[in-house]
Every structure is written in structure tokens, then in C-alpha cells.
Coordinates of all heavy atoms in Angstrom, one line a residue:
V1 N -33.9 -68.0 -58.8 CA -34.0 -68.9 -59.9 C -35.0 -70.0 -59.5 O -34.9 -70.7 -58.5 CB -32.7 -69.6 -60.2 CG1 -32.8 -70.4 -61.4 CG2 -31.6 -68.4 -60.3
E2 N -36.0 -70.1 -60.4 CA -36.8 -71.4 -60.3 C -36.7 -72.2 -61.4 O -36.9 -71.9 -62.5 CB -38.4 -70.9 -60.0 CG -39.2 -72.1 -59.7 CD -40.6 -71.8 -59.2 OE1 -41.1 -70.6 -59.4 OE2 -41.4 -72.8 -58.9
L3 N -36.5 -73.5 -61.1 CA -36.5 -74.6 -62.1 C -37.7 -75.3 -62.3 O -38.4 -75.9 -61.4 CB -35.4 -75.6 -61.6 CG -34.1 -75.2 -61.1 CD1 -33.2 -76.4 -60.8 CD2 -33.4 -74.3 -62.2
G4 N -38.3 -75.1 -63.5 CA -39.7 -75.7 -63.7 C -40.7 -74.9 -62.9 O -41.4 -75.5 -62.1
P5 N -41.1 -73.6 -63.2 CA -41.9 -72.8 -62.4 C -43.4 -73.1 -62.6 O -44.2 -72.3 -62.0 CB -41.5 -71.4 -62.9 CG -40.3 -71.4 -63.7 CD -40.4 -72.8 -64.3
G6 N -43.8 -74.1 -63.4 CA -45.2 -74.3 -63.6 C -46.0 -73.2 -64.1 O -45.6 -72.5 -65.1
R7 N -47.0 -72.7 -63.4 CA -47.8 -71.5 -63.8 C -47.2 -70.3 -63.3 O -47.8 -69.1 -63.5 CB -49.2 -71.6 -63.4 CG -50.1 -72.7 -64.2 CD -51.4 -72.7 -63.7 NE -52.4 -73.4 -64.5 CZ -53.7 -73.7 -64.2 NH1 -54.1 -73.3 -63.0 NH2 -54.4 -74.3 -65.0
G8 N -46.2 -70.3 -62.4 CA -45.7 -69.1 -61.8 C -46.4 -68.8 -60.4 O -46.1 -67.9 -59.8
T9 N -47.2 -69.8 -60.0 CA -48.0 -69.7 -58.8 C -47.1 -69.6 -57.6 O -47.3 -68.7 -56.7 CB -49.0 -70.7 -58.7 OG1 -49.9 -70.8 -59.8 CG2 -49.9 -70.6 -57.4
L10 N -46.1 -70.5 -57.5 CA -45.3 -70.5 -56.3 C -44.6 -69.1 -56.2 O -44.5 -68.5 -55.1 CB -44.3 -71.7 -56.4 CG -43.2 -71.8 -55.3 CD1 -42.8 -73.3 -55.1 CD2 -42.1 -71.0 -55.3
M11 N -43.9 -68.8 -57.3 CA -43.1 -67.5 -57.3 C -44.0 -66.3 -57.0 O -43.6 -65.3 -56.4 CB -42.4 -67.4 -58.5 CG -41.1 -66.4 -58.4 SD -40.1 -66.7 -57.0 CE -39.4 -68.3 -57.4
K12 N -45.2 -66.2 -57.6 CA -46.1 -65.1 -57.4 C -46.4 -65.0 -55.9 O -46.4 -64.0 -55.3 CB -47.4 -65.4 -58.1 CG -48.5 -64.3 -57.9 CD -49.9 -64.7 -58.5 CE -50.5 -65.9 -57.9 NZ -51.8 -66.2 -58.4
D13 N -46.8 -66.1 -55.2 CA -47.1 -66.1 -53.8 C -45.8 -65.7 -53.0 O -45.8 -65.1 -52.0 CB -47.7 -67.4 -53.3 CG -49.0 -67.7 -53.9 OD1 -49.7 -66.7 -54.3 OD2 -49.4 -68.9 -54.0
A14 N -44.7 -66.2 -53.4 CA -43.5 -66.0 -52.7 C -43.0 -64.6 -52.7 O -42.6 -63.9 -51.7 CB -42.2 -66.9 -53.3
M15 N -43.2 -64.0 -53.9 CA -42.8 -62.5 -54.0 C -43.8 -61.6 -53.3 O -43.4 -60.5 -52.8 CB -42.8 -62.1 -55.5 CG -41.5 -62.7 -56.2 SD -39.9 -62.2 -55.6 CE -39.5 -63.7 -54.6
R16 N -45.0 -62.0 -53.2 CA -46.0 -61.3 -52.4 C -45.6 -61.2 -50.9 O -45.5 -60.3 -50.3 CB -47.4 -61.8 -52.6 CG -48.4 -60.9 -51.8 CD -49.8 -61.4 -52.0 NE -50.1 -62.8 -51.5 CZ -50.2 -63.9 -52.2 NH1 -50.2 -63.8 -53.5 NH2 -50.3 -65.1 -51.7
A17 N -45.2 -62.5 -50.4 CA -44.8 -62.6 -49.0 C -43.5 -61.9 -48.7 O -43.2 -61.4 -47.7 CB -44.6 -64.1 -48.6
A18 N -42.6 -61.8 -49.8 CA -41.4 -61.1 -49.6 C -41.5 -59.6 -49.4 O -40.5 -59.0 -49.0 CB -40.5 -61.4 -50.9
Q19 N -42.6 -59.1 -49.6 CA -42.8 -57.7 -49.4 C -42.7 -57.3 -48.0 O -42.4 -56.2 -47.7 CB -44.3 -57.2 -49.9 CG -44.3 -57.4 -51.5 CD -45.7 -57.1 -52.0 OE1 -46.7 -57.1 -51.3 NE2 -45.8 -56.7 -53.3
V20 N -42.8 -58.2 -47.1 CA -42.5 -57.9 -45.7 C -41.1 -57.6 -45.3 O -40.7 -57.3 -44.2 CB -43.2 -59.0 -44.7 CG1 -44.6 -59.2 -45.0 CG2 -42.4 -60.3 -44.8
V21 N -40.2 -58.0 -46.3 CA -38.8 -57.7 -46.2 C -38.5 -56.9 -47.3 O -37.8 -57.3 -48.4 CB -37.9 -59.0 -46.1 CG1 -36.5 -58.7 -45.8 CG2 -38.5 -59.9 -45.1
P22 N -38.7 -55.5 -47.3 CA -38.6 -54.7 -48.6 C -37.3 -54.8 -49.1 O -37.0 -54.9 -50.4 CB -39.0 -53.3 -48.1 CG -39.9 -53.6 -46.9 CD -39.4 -54.8 -46.2
P23 N -36.1 -54.7 -48.4 CA -34.8 -54.7 -49.0 C -34.5 -56.1 -49.8 O -33.8 -56.0 -50.9 CB -33.7 -54.7 -47.8 CG -34.6 -54.1 -46.6 CD -35.9 -54.5 -46.9
F24 N -35.0 -57.2 -49.3 CA -34.9 -58.4 -50.1 C -35.6 -58.3 -51.4 O -35.2 -58.6 -52.5 CB -35.4 -59.6 -49.3 CG -35.5 -60.9 -50.0 CD1 -34.5 -61.5 -50.8 CD2 -36.8 -61.5 -50.2 CE1 -34.6 -62.5 -51.6 CE2 -37.0 -62.6 -51.0 CZ -35.9 -63.1 -51.7
R25 N -36.9 -57.9 -51.3 CA -37.8 -57.8 -52.4 C -37.1 -56.9 -53.5 O -37.2 -57.1 -54.8 CB -39.1 -57.1 -52.1 CG -40.2 -57.0 -53.0 CD -40.7 -58.3 -53.6 NE -42.0 -58.0 -54.4 CZ -42.1 -57.2 -55.4 NH1 -41.1 -56.6 -55.9 NH2 -43.3 -57.0 -55.9
K26 N -36.5 -55.7 -53.1 CA -35.9 -54.9 -53.9 C -34.7 -55.5 -54.6 O -34.4 -55.1 -55.8 CB -35.5 -53.6 -53.2 CG -34.9 -52.5 -54.1 CD -34.6 -51.3 -53.3 CE -34.0 -50.1 -54.1 NZ -33.6 -49.0 -53.4
A27 N -34.0 -56.4 -53.9 CA -32.8 -57.0 -54.5 C -33.1 -58.1 -55.5 O -32.1 -58.5 -56.3 CB -32.0 -57.6 -53.4
V28 N -34.2 -58.6 -55.5 CA -34.5 -59.8 -56.4 C -34.7 -59.5 -57.9 O -35.2 -58.5 -58.4 CB -35.9 -60.4 -56.1 CG1 -36.3 -61.4 -57.0 CG2 -35.8 -61.0 -54.6
V29 N -33.9 -60.4 -58.6 CA -34.0 -60.4 -60.1 C -34.5 -62.0 -60.3 O -33.9 -62.8 -59.9 CB -32.7 -60.2 -60.9 CG1 -32.8 -60.4 -62.3 CG2 -32.2 -58.8 -60.6
L30 N -35.6 -62.0 -61.1 CA -36.2 -63.4 -61.4 C -35.6 -64.0 -62.6 O -35.6 -63.4 -63.7 CB -37.7 -63.3 -61.5 CG -38.5 -63.2 -60.2 CD1 -39.9 -63.1 -60.6 CD2 -38.3 -64.5 -59.3
D31 N -35.1 -65.3 -62.4 CA -34.7 -66.0 -63.5 C -35.4 -67.4 -63.6 O -35.3 -68.1 -62.6 CB -33.2 -66.3 -63.4 CG -32.3 -65.1 -63.5 OD1 -32.6 -64.3 -64.5 OD2 -31.4 -64.9 -62.8
L32 N -36.2 -67.7 -64.7 CA -37.1 -68.8 -64.7 C -36.5 -69.8 -65.7 O -36.4 -69.5 -66.9 CB -38.5 -68.3 -65.0 CG -39.0 -67.2 -64.1 CD1 -40.3 -66.6 -64.6 CD2 -39.3 -67.8 -62.7
V33 N -36.3 -71.0 -65.3 CA -35.7 -72.1 -66.2 C -37.0 -72.9 -66.5 O -37.5 -73.7 -65.9 CB -34.7 -72.9 -65.5 CG1 -34.2 -74.0 -66.4 CG2 -33.6 -72.0 -65.0
E34 N -37.4 -72.8 -67.8 CA -38.6 -73.3 -68.4 C -38.5 -73.7 -69.9 O -38.0 -72.7 -70.6 CB -39.8 -72.3 -68.1 CG -41.1 -72.9 -68.7 CD -41.6 -74.2 -68.0 OE1 -41.9 -74.1 -66.8 OE2 -41.6 -75.2 -68.7

């Protein structure tokens, strides 16, 4: 969950980095409070 995600830049970069932990990346559902 991101509160006030701006342009989505933080979450875009975070999800790219999360690819190094594939089980976490697979578990993620994104909820954006905006």
C-alpha cells in the first residue's frame, strides 16, 4: 500500500528491485491511496 504515490516512480523502482526476490514479487498486490 502506498499513501500518496506521486507519479508512481517510487513503486515502479521498488517493484523492479523486488524482482531479485521472485516469491515476494509474485505475492504482491498493489493498493494505491490517491
Side-chain angles (χ1 to χ4, degrees):
V1 183
E2 188 173 4
L3 309 181
R7 287 177 167 177
T9 304
L10 184 157
M11 199 52 65
K12 176 187 69 175
D13 294 335
M15 289 299 100
R16 185 178 62 252
Q19 290 173 342
V20 302
V21 187
F24 168 61
R25 178 71 162 64
K26 186 178 179 182
V28 169
V29 173
L30 278 180
D31 294 318
L32 305 170
V33 178
E34 176 62 68

